Every structure is written in structure tokens, then in C-alpha cells.
Amino acid sequence: MSFEKLNLIEPILKALKTEGYTTPTPIQEQAIPLVLQRKDLLGCAQTGTGKTAAFAIPIIQLLTENKVATQGKKTIKCLVLTPTRELAIQIEESFNNYGRNTNLKNKVIFGGVNQHAQVEALRAGVDILIATPGRLLDLMNQRHVDISNIQFFVLDEADRMLDMGFIHDVKKVIAKLPAKRQSLFFSATMPPVIQSLADTILVNPSKVEVTPVSSTAEKINQVVYFVDKENKKHLLIDVLKDKAIERVLVFTRTKHGADKVVKDLIKSNIKAQAIHGNKSQNARQNALNNFKSKITRVLVATDIAARGIDIDELSHVINYELPNVPESYVHSIGRTGRAGASGIAIAFCDAEEKAYLKDIQKLIGKTIPIIDDHNYELKNHTVVKAAPKPQRNFSNRPPKRGHTTSSNSFEKKQSNSVNREASGAKANGVRSEQGRSENTSKPKKNWFGRERRER
Ligand code: AMP
């Protein structure tokens, strides 16, 4: 499958060539034709699958074909709601990139910064607005944003909106949207509460589903080190002696923890910066830019801050602390292995985190190989075996043929990475305990009930 086969217009095909994209990802292959047919869409996909282009490309095409879009005073015709500032910025970049050969104007608005520049840009006229919910509502209430002419509405990362407590703001925005519109709804997971939100937004939607959260984990080489809490900093420095780790994203559970890891690394002359909710928008962007341009080797982040961070060629991710929500682990390791790149995910597990490891292994349906040949091994640890894997698809049905397996190069590249030996780990120290367990019909846990906010 090529982009040409998707009946895309020349300006978009040209932009995709500039981006270096040759093959649509599975979600693009499925979603682009549906959106072009003016269907509402329910997409079960997480970041890293190419979902941004899956909605941005057909929207750009439809708006470009619709002559009204390029004549007279610009009104907002497309609204994309996304939970974090980083994601919002990345989505705007995507619209800019894919729409570079069109006349469409994009603008991103988010909180935590002065609203003046955003208001000025809105006044000048915008076709596509990408926003976080709080700032959007603020500007709507001040009458700087008019969403009464919206033709396309995209709700991105719906589960994360709920998780971050934005769902009421989202509902307030939805209440103000015109009834006649095309809506696209994306979520990495589809618990009942998200499904019912989708039902209120979408009309007779087409469903697309790619790489459910648990199967994403299978494409990444994962290892775990058992280590005492107080030795994690020493182990991290040891692990970073491996020159193969050119750049690494390190996850901590808390903002304070992220700052502490940065301090420890800097003391050992390792260039590191933190990114989390207590940092100003400028500090976060600066940390991200330095990491992207390889000025810093280590970016330390909390899960929520790192959500959606899009860094090409990120080979390694370290979970310095294991998240208490297993889906967060899968999202964090998904920062590597994006868009076909291979990835290695290293987890540090202390005695108290063994229960979290057990939950993670249950979700991904396998036991993560242990590196036990290192200088800081946790004494007297028992091996935690993988528990049965629950089904995590839309409707507890097995994924449809062609949805999670694809013959295109994007997917092939991903699966090749499974066979690579984990670097940063001493091969002879890897205990292989793969034993995949069979599916059961055990009901899903409602993980949204648990604490997921940054502390
Ligand atoms: P997303 O899931 O939208 O966050 O996209 C993840 C990454 O995949 C981004 O870096 C995109 O630039 C990249 N990407 C999206 N579509 C393609 C494609 N068809 N070919 C190669 N890379 C892509």
C-alpha cells in the first residue's frame, strides 16, 4: 500500500515525500479512506502508531477541497482537543508539515503561558485550532474563540483526558459544538466510561483499531533489573556506561523523583534534564529541544509529562520506578520503538514494586527477562511469574484480521526489533522466562479508578 493509493491530493503527497514517509501505517491505511468518505471515526490507537497523520491528512484534504476554507475571513473549521501541551504542539507541527503546500492556517493554544499571543493569532484568522481543554474554555468564555463553524472535531487521547481530570471541560466544549460536523475520537483504551463518551459524540461511527496496548509491548525488547531502592541511582549510572545508549528517556513516578535523578546524573557528569508538570512551559520545551538535538543525553520525565513525546530514533527507555498503573508502563516503553524503530526498555524494580511488576506482566501477558548479572542485585527476590493476560480490545473480541498484523514495511520493521538482543544488558545475565500464558475471560479491571496523577 502506498499513499498514492489512498487518493490523496498532490500537495499532500508532496508534503509526505518531504517528510520521508513512503508507506501508510496500519491506522492511516484504515482511517484515511473513512474520514475522506465523511464518516465519524472511533479509533483505538495510542501515540506511536501514526494516528496524528491518520486524522490530520484527510482533514487537510477535505478542507483544501472545500473552497470556502480558503476564501474570505478565516473561521475555525477544525478543532483538535488533546490533553497535554506537548501533544498539542506536536499535533500542530504535524498539521504544519502535512499541510505545508496548502493555504490552511493552524494554531495551537494551551495553558501555562500568557494568552496574548494566542489571542492575536486567533484574531488574525485560523482554520485549524489545536487546543488543550482548559485554555480553550478560558478563551471561549472570553469570546476569543468561536467554535460555531466547526466542521471537524477531533478528540485525541480520550482516556488520558479522563485520567487527567479534563473530562468535564471536554464535555463543556462538546456542548458548544455545532450538531452538524464530522467527529473523530481516539483513545488508547476503551473502558465503558470512554465508550459512552464516544457514543455521545459520534454518529454511526466506523471503528478502527490497531496494536492494542498490550500487544505494543511485544514489539519492544524488555528487561528488568531487581535492585534495592537506594541503589537505583548507582545502577542507572552503571547502565549508562553502555555507549550504545546514546539517548535515553528515564521515567519516574513523581516530579520530585525526576528532579532527584537529574541531580544524581549531573553529579556524575551525565547531561540530564527533567520534564514534568511543575516546570514552566518554556523549561519543558527547552528540555525537550535539548534532548531532541542531543545536547542532553538523558531526559527524565513523569509518565504524564512524557505522554505523546515524539522523539525520532529513541532507542532506550528506562523505567527507573515502576508505575503503579500497568498501562502507564506500556505507554512509557512505547516512547521507544515508534513508527517502526526498534526499542529497548529497561525496568528497575525494587522490593516494594514487585506487585506492580506482577500487574504489568499480567497486562502484557509475558514475563520480562531478568538481568541478574549486575553490581546492585536485590537479595532474596522471588521471581514473579506472568499472570493470565486479560483481553484489552474494543469489545473483548480478538483483533480482526489485518488490524494488528500488517504486511507493510512499518509493521515488519517493528516485528524485526523483537529479535534484537537487548543492549545495555549483559546477554549472559538474561534469564529467559518467556512462558506466555493463555487468555482467560476474567473481567477487566477498571484502572481509571486508581491514582494516576503526577505527585
Ligand atoms: P503519532 O502516533 O502520530 O504520534 O506518530 C508517531 C511518529 O510516527 C511520528 O514521529 C510521525 O512523524 C511518524 N510517522 C507517522 N506516520 C508515518 C509514516 N507513514 N511513515 C513513517 N513515519 C510516520
Side-chain angles (χ1 to χ4, degrees):
M1 170 62 89
S2 66
F3 281 108
E4 280 78 7
K5 294 235 166 74
L6 293 175
N7 292 324
L8 298 178
I9 53 176
E10 202 43 47
I12 294 179
L13 289 174
K14 206 169 142 201
L16 294 177
K17 271 202 194 100
T18 312
E19 285 302 294
Y21 296 0
T22 50
T23 318
T25 67
I27 189 142
Q28 292 161 7
E29 202 177 312
Q30 294 171 56
I32 291 173
L34 294 167
V35 181
L36 288 177
Q37 287 163 39
R38 310 302 308 250
K39 296 242 166 71
D40 277 9
L41 194 76
L42 179 57
C44 192
Q46 63 178 111
T47 49
T49 56
K51 76 174 156 69
T52 314
F55 64 76
I57 289 171
I59 288 175
I60 292 169
Q61 174 143 336
L62 290 170
L63 283 176
T64 307
E65 285 174 340
N66 176 0
K67 299 285 180 285
V68 182
T70 52
Q71 287 168 4
K73 176 157 170 36
K74 287 185 183 294
T75 55
I76 302 165
K77 296 164 200 75
C78 170
L79 172 66
V80 182
L81 266 190
T82 192
T84 68
R85 296 175 277 197
E86 284 77 15
L87 267 175
I89 290 169
Q90 280 168 199
I91 294 172
E92 192 209 19
E93 274 170 15
S94 297
F95 272 99
N96 287 342
N97 291 339
Y98 311 141
R100 67 172 81 234
N101 303 315
T102 70
N103 292 328
L104 295 170
K105 270 194 101 179
N106 315 310
K107 179 66 196 163
V108 62
I109 60 172
F110 45 77
V113 291
N114 190 296
Q115 70 173 47
H116 180 73
Q118 298 177 358
V119 171
E120 286 302 304
L122 288 164
R123 243 183 231 137
V126 169
D127 295 299
I128 296 163
L129 182 66
I130 299 106
T132 53
R135 176 55 58 96
L136 176 66
L137 269 180
D138 266 3
L139 295 186
M140 278 168 65
N141 290 338
Q142 296 171 51
R143 300 190 188 283
H144 292 306
V145 176
D146 172 14
I147 60 169
S148 63
N149 293 306
I150 293 292
Q151 298 169 26
F152 301 95
F153 172 60
V154 182
L155 183 61
D156 187 37
E157 308 252 343
D159 53 356
R160 184 57 50 140
M161 290 281 195
L162 181 74
D163 182 31
M164 293 175 75
F166 295 157
I167 214 72
H168 296 294
D169 285 350
V170 170
K171 285 182 177 167
K172 281 185 200 160
V173 173
I174 291 165
K176 296 260 167 26
L177 287 170
K180 194 170 175 297
R181 58 167 200 260
Q182 188 177 358
S183 303
L184 317 177
F185 185 107
F186 290 90
S187 192
T189 55
M190 279 298 161
V193 60
I194 290 296
Q195 182 66 57
S196 50
L197 178 68
D199 292 343
T200 64
I201 297 174
L202 303 170
V203 180
N204 199 14
S206 300
K207 290 180 184 174
V208 293
E209 181 183 0
V210 289
T211 49
V213 69
S214 50
S215 70
T216 304
E218 290 164 20
K219 301 195 166 79
I220 294 160
N221 257 307
Q222 300 165 70
V223 291
V224 60
Y225 288 75
F226 286 103
V227 54
D228 285 306
K229 200 179 205 151
E230 57 276 18
N231 280 332
K232 283 189 175 182
K233 58 182 175 197
H234 304 299
L235 178 61
L236 179 62
I237 288 159
D238 261 13
V239 167
L240 291 178
K241 284 181 184 151
D242 183 348
K243 295 280 178 284
I245 308 181
E246 277 184 28
R247 263 186 322 174
V248 60
L249 190 52
V250 173
F251 286 94
T252 59
R253 263 200 307 276
T254 66
K255 297 177 235 187
H256 174 70
D259 288 335
K260 223 174 146 298
V261 171
V262 167
K263 260 193 202 154
D264 292 336
L265 290 176
I266 289 174
K267 261 192 224 156
S268 297
N269 291 323
I270 297 170
K271 285 186 178 150
Q273 274 184 296
I275 183 167
H276 56 64
N278 279 2
K279 302 265 175 192
S280 70
Q281 176 59 17
N282 282 345
R284 288 159 71 151
Q285 206 54 50
N286 172 273
L288 195 54
N289 290 344
N290 285 344
F291 189 59
K292 281 186 177 178
S293 54
K294 304 191 180 178
I295 293 170
T296 41
R297 184 178 173 211
V298 185
L299 185 66
V300 188
T302 54
D303 171 56
I304 287 178
R307 178 75 173 205
I309 285 181
D310 181 17
I311 301 148
D312 291 337
E313 300 160 34
L314 180 61
S315 57
H316 292 75
V317 160
I318 297 177
N319 270 287
Y320 186 86
E321 286 162 332
L322 280 184
N324 51 348
V325 176
E327 280 83 356
S328 293
Y329 169 83
V330 180
H331 286 307
S332 69
I333 69 168
R335 303 305 92 209
T336 179
R338 288 163 79 76
S342 56
I344 293 157
I346 299 166
F348 291 176
C349 178
D350 64 34
E352 286 172 19
E353 293 168 329
K354 282 186 181 174
Y356 303 156
L357 180 64
K358 206 169 160 190
D359 283 351
I360 288 165
Q361 298 190 136
K362 185 172 169 183
L363 173 66
I364 64 176
K366 69 175 183 182
T367 308
I368 301 171
I370 301 160
I371 306 285
D372 54 8
D373 179 15
H374 65 87
N375 295 328
Y376 302 100
E377 210 195 340
L378 179 69
K379 297 296 168 218
N380 300 325
H381 68 80
T382 50
V383 175
V384 204
K385 282 262 188 289
K389 175 186 179 182
Q391 278 286 355
R392 303 202 64 83
N393 298 323
F394 262 133
S395 52
N396 280 354
R397 278 184 278 109
K400 281 189 195 140
R401 255 172 71 82
H403 282 196
T404 51
T405 55
S406 165
S407 58
N408 79 22
S409 59
F410 175 80
E411 286 271 290
K412 270 189 200 146
K413 251 163 104 191
Q414 283 200 326
S415 53
N416 284 344
S417 70
V418 182
N419 299 324
R420 279 189 36 191
E421 189 56 63
S423 84
K426 295 172 192 162
N428 60 1
V430 178
R431 245 191 259 160
S432 185
E433 296 177 69
Q434 291 292 346
R436 173 183 292 279
S437 43
E438 69 278 26
N439 292 339
T440 70
S441 56
K442 225 175 149 202
K444 274 197 273 180
K445 233 187 249 173
N446 181 357
W447 55 279
F448 287 101
R450 296 199 232 163
E451 177 66 80
R452 284 173 59 83
R453 286 170 180 273
E454 287 182 342
R455 281 163 291 154

